[in-house]
Amino acid sequence: MSDNLADKLAALVSPGPSGSDVRATNTPEAWKPRLEVGDEGGYLVSTARPAGEIPDIQELLKEFDLNPLHWTVTSLRRSRWQKYDGDWLEAFRLNLTPTNTTAISDLDLEKLVEEIKKWRPERGKKETSGELAYVFAPSDQQIGKKASGEGTAESVERLLGTSSRGLDRLKELRKIGRSVGTVVIALLGDHVEGNVSQAGRLQSPSASDLGLTQQTRVARRVLMQQIKTFAPHCERLVVPVVNGNHDEVTRQVSADPADGWNVEIASAVQDACAENSELAHVEFRFPATDHQTLAVNINGTMLGLFHGHQTGKNVVSYLSNQAAGQTALGGCDLWLSGHYHHFASMDVGPRLWVQCPTTDVGSAWFRDRRGLESPAGVLSMVIGDGYDPRRDISIIPAQRSII
């Protein structure tokens, strides 16, 4: 159809002038909607909305087709005024800077794959066989979190330090007669700080020192280093993974709980490991679609993983319901969880539940509110068919940097 004929058809179809008139709202000039941003940042003023309807930051950015992953909100102001009919309206002004996505540009997946292809374990290291498994469970790392004057650099320092001390602990256990052939790096969720919790406020530079893509890059590299630390010292290395609340990709729509950043991070590292025959004994386990828990048979012990945000305060009730429902998680011998950032354990009949501590930078807000703060660390233990998991529970300390 020619352009001329299309125009004629459009004129025939149209009933005439269309669209509604809009009554003026007496919006102050300074608070009329606008967007002014450039390479160095800028600001936006949102459309007016009824007073009290406070949107989250992601909603305000998307109002102007701005990707929340590409912009960091440095400050927020709000103004309220009265309409002609007596109702109140308010609008929001956000000052913006571009999220830095190049500061850690060398930490991309392609570089990770190339590096792991070249990696070889140190000579003289031999794989050790045995019927028991050593569990190393870093939880709630929240890479990218910024608090108490510290940030990602300190988190990474602690994670790498606990990996080294975790290997020392494995060697100690073997010296006292524990026949360990399998190592389990259990990823219990909240691997990154993310940007969905607290209505998007975690995008603020006061809460995070890395953008989301940077957080996942750093997390991949740290996990790869943890695998390289333990892989030469076992005949089998298992990485079971569940997502936490900070790992959620979005809360704008209902999403598959198995589709989260912790799974994405581990999946990318799995692809890299597949490129090196020295890591052929490394295996990954992920939740099934629509699930946020995982049960894995580790040398005769049924190990259950759940992050902990889904349980409420009564974990035993949650586990009892899982058992009553005959779920895979409910049939486990041992359960590991995180979320609450401190160590705890409880016998549940003949079974055991252990809550893992965290290696993150802490929370000044929580310390001021409660007066308490738990020591950072990583849970380690030994499990196996018929082996009491309480026997060798140990927390690998994660000392804070003194620099």
Side-chain angles (χ1 to χ4, degrees), residues 243-376:
N243 290 314
N245 51 303
H246 283 261
D247 297 311
E248 293 176 44
V249 175
T250 180
R251 291 181 181 170
Q252 302 300 313
V253 296
S254 180
D256 181 355
D259 180 22
W261 292 117
N262 202 19
V263 166
E264 168 58 24
I265 290 160
S267 179
V269 173
Q270 175 183 237
D271 292 341
C273 289
E275 299 295 325
N276 191 318
S277 60
E278 298 283 356
L279 297 172
H281 62 305
V282 179
E283 58 188 85
F284 292 75
R285 292 291 302 275
F286 301 101
T289 300
D290 293 329
H291 288 269
Q292 53 187 339
T293 64
L294 183 65
V296 185
N297 188 331
I298 303 292
N299 295 24
T301 292
M302 290 301 299
L303 174 65
L305 274 64
F306 61 98
H307 178 61
H309 62 302
Q310 65 272 70
T311 70
K313 294 294 185 180
N314 194 338
V315 177
V316 173
S317 175
Y318 169 79
L319 294 173
S320 297
N321 289 336
Q322 294 290 320
Q326 296 184 323
T327 67
L329 184 71
C332 288
D333 305 305
L334 167 68
W335 296 286
L336 299 182
S337 66
H339 187 61
Y340 290 104
H341 290 218
H342 66 272
F343 169 74
S345 66
M346 180 180 292
D347 292 323
V348 184
R351 300 186 276 183
L352 178 68
W353 162 64
V354 183
Q355 178 178 287
C356 300
T358 178
T359 57
D360 84 348
V361 296
S363 170
W365 172 85
F366 184 86
R367 184 171 57 251
D368 288 344
R369 185 166 178 250
R370 297 291 183 88
L372 299 172
E373 190 171 30
S374 299

Side-chain angles (χ1 to χ4, degrees), residues 30-35 43-47 63-64 91-93:
W31 289 91
K32 288 184 176 179
R34 65 171 63 82
L35 172 69
Y43 71 94
L44 67 80
V45 178
S46 74
T47 55
E63 185 176 297
F64 292 88
F92 301 83
R93 174 181 170 125

Side-chain angles (χ1 to χ4, degrees), residues 103-122:
I104 316 178
S105 58
D106 63 316
L107 301 181
D108 54 51
L109 180 57
E110 291 76 16
K111 185 174 178 62
L112 180 66
V113 169
E114 288 303 314
E115 288 186 359
I116 201 60
K117 281 182 179 178
K118 301 174 183 176
W119 177 78
R120 295 291 181 274
E122 295 179 26

Side-chain angles (χ1 to χ4, degrees), residues 169-223:
R169 174 61 177 164
L170 172 59
K171 294 176 179 178
E172 290 174 357
L173 289 165
R174 283 178 172 149
K175 286 181 179 178
I176 61 174
R178 307 296 187 259
S179 180
V180 175
T182 300
V183 170
V184 178
I185 301 177
L187 300 181
L188 292 162
D190 283 4
H191 207 145
V192 294
E193 180 72 343
N195 63 1
V196 296
S197 290
Q198 301 175 33
R201 290 195 297 274
L202 295 184
Q203 296 181 94
S204 166
S206 65
S208 180
D209 58 4
L210 292 181
L212 184 53
T213 55
Q214 293 173 312
Q215 294 173 25
T216 59
R217 292 187 201 115
V218 173
R220 286 198 300 255
R221 293 297 290 268
V222 172
L223 176 57

